[in-house]
């Protein structure tokens, strides 16, 4: 992506990588290059980030965002979403709008408030998508823990049922081995103990 900026016209932005369908996070490299080819900003292996720059030359700046295969959990080609947000600050054009000297300061403050409002909106968008990505990660982890707990409980129930069936089978095999239907129990004469 390329954008044209005037000298000393500040710009700021952010990016947030959303998890793929399996809940895996991808890491990205972001490089911003000036019209002369100089790298003015570089981010490596991050899944979210913010930048705020003031260009020192007029021209088209190149924004390159690329997937970092070394730091990404899944190396397969999956659909990935990245929320990209870029805002350009406003220069003071008070002289174009105001004709009287007393309103020039007012326009200056209006443009400052507008610039700060845009930066606040960009930060709000960044925090929203960051919170959404964290929520998706927590929900994915919660699902995995729930499935593991259900499987573990099911295995425990199956082992218990298996033990009960095994013990019954051993008792029935012992009865058949003594050669009769009635188990051999020692009977004691209780009359000798009566007083």
């Amino acid at each position: 992506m390329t954008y044209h900026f005037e000298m000393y016209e500040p710009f700021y932005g952010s990016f947030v990588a959303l998890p793929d369908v399996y809940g895996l996070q991808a890491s990205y490299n972001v490089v911003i290059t000036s019209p002369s080819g100089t790298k003015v900003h570089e981010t490596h292996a991050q899944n979210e980030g913010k930048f705020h720059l003031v260009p020192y030359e007029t021209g088209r700046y190149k924004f390159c965002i690329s997937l970092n295969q070394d730091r990404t959990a899944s190396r397969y080609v999956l659909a990935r979403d990245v929320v990209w947000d870029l805002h350009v600050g406003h220069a003071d054009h008070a002289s174009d709008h105001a004709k009287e000297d007393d309103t020039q300061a007012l326009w200056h403050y209006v443009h400052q408030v507008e610039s700060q409002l845009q930066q606040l909106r960009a930060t709000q968008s960044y925090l929203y998508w960051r919170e959404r990505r964290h929520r998706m990660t927590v929900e994915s982890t919660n699902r995995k823990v729930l499935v593991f707990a259900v499987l573990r409980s099911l295995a425990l129930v199956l082992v218990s049922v298996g033990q009960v069936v095994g013990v019954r089978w051993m008792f029935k095999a012992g009865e058949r081995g003594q050669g009769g239907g009635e188990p051999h129990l020692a009977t004691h004469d209780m009359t000798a103990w009566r007083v």
Side-chain angles (χ1 to χ4, degrees), residues 50-103:
K50 295 174 72 174
F51 55 87
H52 184 90
L53 299 168
V54 177
Y56 292 106
E57 57 184 305
T58 301
R60 297 193 70 78
Y61 282 74
K62 181 179 177 185
F63 293 80
C64 180
I65 183 166
S66 61
L67 181 67
N68 187 324
Q69 290 288 344
D70 298 333
R71 297 289 176 106
T72 301
S74 173
R75 298 191 188 261
Y76 300 107
V77 177
L78 299 172
R80 300 184 188 279
D81 293 325
V82 177
V83 178
W84 176 261
D85 192 22
L86 181 66
H87 293 278
V88 179
H90 294 286
D92 185 17
H93 297 295
S95 61
D96 296 340
H97 300 291
K99 302 296 182 199
E100 299 175 12
D101 292 336
D102 58 342
T103 59

Side-chain angles (χ1 to χ4, degrees), residues 3 17 19 40 44 49 55 57 72 79 81 87 92 96 102 110 117 120 135 137-138 152 154 158-159 161 179 181 194:
Y3 295 97
V40 294
H44 290 289
E57 57 184 305
T72 301
D81 293 325
H87 293 278
D92 185 17
D96 296 340
D102 58 342
V110 167
L117 184 60
L120 184 63
R135 186 176 350 114
T137 302
V138 167
R152 188 173 60 181
L154 185 63
L158 289 175
V159 167
V161 168
R194 290 188 191 164

Side-chain angles (χ1 to χ4, degrees), residues 146-160:
L146 181 65
V147 167
F148 178 72
V150 167
L151 289 176
R152 188 173 60 181
S153 299
L154 185 63
L156 190 61
V157 167
L158 289 175
V159 167
S160 299

